[in-house]
Structures are given as C-alpha cells and as structure tokens.
Amino acid sequence: MARMAWIGILATGWVLGPAPPAVHAADGTHDEGRLVPSWFSDQPITFVETDEIDYLWVADGFELRGKTLHWQEWPEPEEFLGEDGGNRDENDYRLARQLAGEMARSFSDVFEREYPRDFPSSLDEGDILVEGRIVDCSTGNRAAKALVGFGAGAGNTAIDLRFTDKASGEVVMAIHHRVVSGTNWSTTDSKFFKWVKKMGKEIAEDGVQELYRDGEVRKE
C-alpha cells in the first residue's frame, strides 16, 4: 500500500509535500544490475526518475541548495556491474580510468561556474561530501554508429553519486545515472559532460526536494 501523503514542517524549517510511495528494490534489480542500493545506504531507498536523472533519492527535509559541496576524487574502477559488465574490454576500462580521473574536478568546475550561488564547490572542503564511482563504461562501436545508426553501437557510462552530510555522517542524497552515446557524432565522454551541466541546471531550478516529490518512482 502506498504511503499516505503528508505535509509537515521539520525542525530544519523545510515544508515537505507528498512523499513518493514506498518501492524498495533489492541489490541488482535496478538498471539491469548496474545500481546497487546498499552502496548508498543499509536502509531501504526509494528511487525516482526525473527529466535529467535516471535514479534519484533524497532524504526527508534535505535541500542541496546553499550547501558547500566537497567533491572527492573518484577511484579507478576495478570491475563493472550489470548484465554486460563482464563483456567490457581494455578500451572500455581505459576510458573509465580516464573519466574517473576527471570526474571530481569536472563536477566541481561545472557547478562552480554555472551555479556558484546555489552550489559552492570545492575539491578540499565543504558541508556535503560527494563521493562517486563509475559502475559501467563502454566506448561503443564507432563503425556501427556510422553505418547503422539508430542507437546501434552506442557507448555508455553509468555512475553513482553519494552525498553525505559531514556533520551527521548520514547519506542525504543518492544519484545513479547512465549516459548513452547513441549517434555517430557523439562520444561517450563528451555526452557525459553535457549531462553534468543539464543535471546541475535541473537541480538549481527546482531544488532536490521538489524534484524528488515530483519524480516517477522506479520499480526496476
């Protein structure tokens, strides 16, 4: 049964609208196994989909706007998740390593350049620790893109972002997203960094609480 809609004022002063109905999936059942909810929290998490984010979860009452974000360096991926994760080759791992080395600075630069008042960003300190990882990556097939088109040979990059409040140690927001490069002129890395800007714009314009309330609940 869906949870009852509720409106309340928390001690933080935020006014919350209807919460998404509870839908808790086990590890390995989201995004063809690419999303592992337990990486974010040992508590059940209900993910929703927004225009720019495949899977989003936000803690009750938390708002990202105004918080200083500390973007931590990403680790090099040692293995990929998902149904096709075991089929990736050295080119895919090479691209993932290159992307992982750029991720923290790229997110920080985009957020600081585009939304300095909404999301002050730093690579050294901040209120919210943002950890990320690449869970799947494919360079795609350029020949198939050029000759066949219509999504054939598409590359993709799937990531996790975990936002932790440093003061409380609690995870307050989670993002999982997969960027697909589906045209013969688009590459996996260029498409991904375009998405970073679009995602930041959506969060800046709507706020994470509104995004989460209005999102469509993900069941798989």
Side-chain angles (χ1 to χ4, degrees):
M1 179 183 298
R3 289 180 292 177
M4 296 180 60
W6 55 278
I7 298 177
I9 301 178
L10 301 182
T12 53
W14 289 305
V15 179
L16 303 180
V23 177
H24 308 311
D27 282 354
T29 60
H30 279 314
D31 192 18
E32 300 177 344
R34 296 181 182 89
L35 170 54
V36 179
S38 62
W39 186 77
F40 300 100
S41 174
D42 56 3
Q43 300 298 317
I45 291 179
T46 299
F47 288 98
V48 304
E49 181 180 11
T50 74
D51 288 343
E52 299 296 341
I53 302 172
D54 290 344
Y55 296 84
L56 171 69
W57 172 80
V58 183
D60 292 343
F62 173 73
E63 186 55 68
L64 191 65
R65 184 180 289 113
K67 301 292 192 303
T68 300
L69 307 181
H70 175 188
W71 299 91
Q72 188 172 75
E73 293 295 329
W74 290 30
E76 289 190 357
E78 297 181 356
E79 62 178 355
F80 292 139
L81 304 178
E83 296 175 0
D84 297 326
N87 297 326
R88 303 306 183 207
D89 59 22
E90 180 54 34
N91 289 332
D92 301 322
Y93 276 94
R94 184 180 301 112
L95 174 60
R97 289 193 294 268
Q98 292 172 350
L99 289 172
E102 300 172 0
M103 285 296 192
R105 183 170 298 279
S106 295
F107 270 100
S108 181
D109 287 350
V110 170
F111 273 57
E112 187 65 24
R113 181 176 66 251
E114 301 292 335
Y115 320 105
R117 295 183 179 180
D118 297 295
F119 314 115
S121 294
S122 171
L123 294 175
D124 303 310
E125 59 184 4
D127 307 315
I128 305 297
L129 178 65
V130 188
E131 302 167 278
R133 66 174 185 171
I134 294 176
V135 295
D136 191 22
C137 187
S138 170
T139 59
N141 186 309
R142 293 180 182 270
K145 288 183 182 182
L147 296 176
V148 180
F150 302 106
N156 72 83
T157 303
I159 68 161
D160 290 333
L161 284 174
R162 179 170 60 197
F163 297 72
T164 302
D165 183 280
K166 288 186 177 181
S168 67
E170 296 180 356
V171 176
V172 290
M173 194 167 89
I175 288 176
H176 172 86
H177 188 79
R178 183 161 60 100
V179 174
V180 177
S181 167
T183 70
N184 54 327
W185 298 112
S186 176
T187 60
T188 301
D189 52 348
S190 65
K191 190 76 172 287
F192 182 85
F193 290 115
K194 288 179 181 177
W195 169 77
V196 174
K197 185 175 180 179
K198 291 180 180 179
M199 181 268 288
K201 181 179 181 181
E202 183 178 56
I203 292 176
E205 289 181 347
D206 297 338
V208 294
Q209 282 296 323
E210 182 177 343
L211 276 180
Y212 189 56
R213 290 196 303 269
D214 294 343
E216 181 177 353
V217 174
R218 299 298 304 251
K219 298 181 180 180
E220 60 181 31

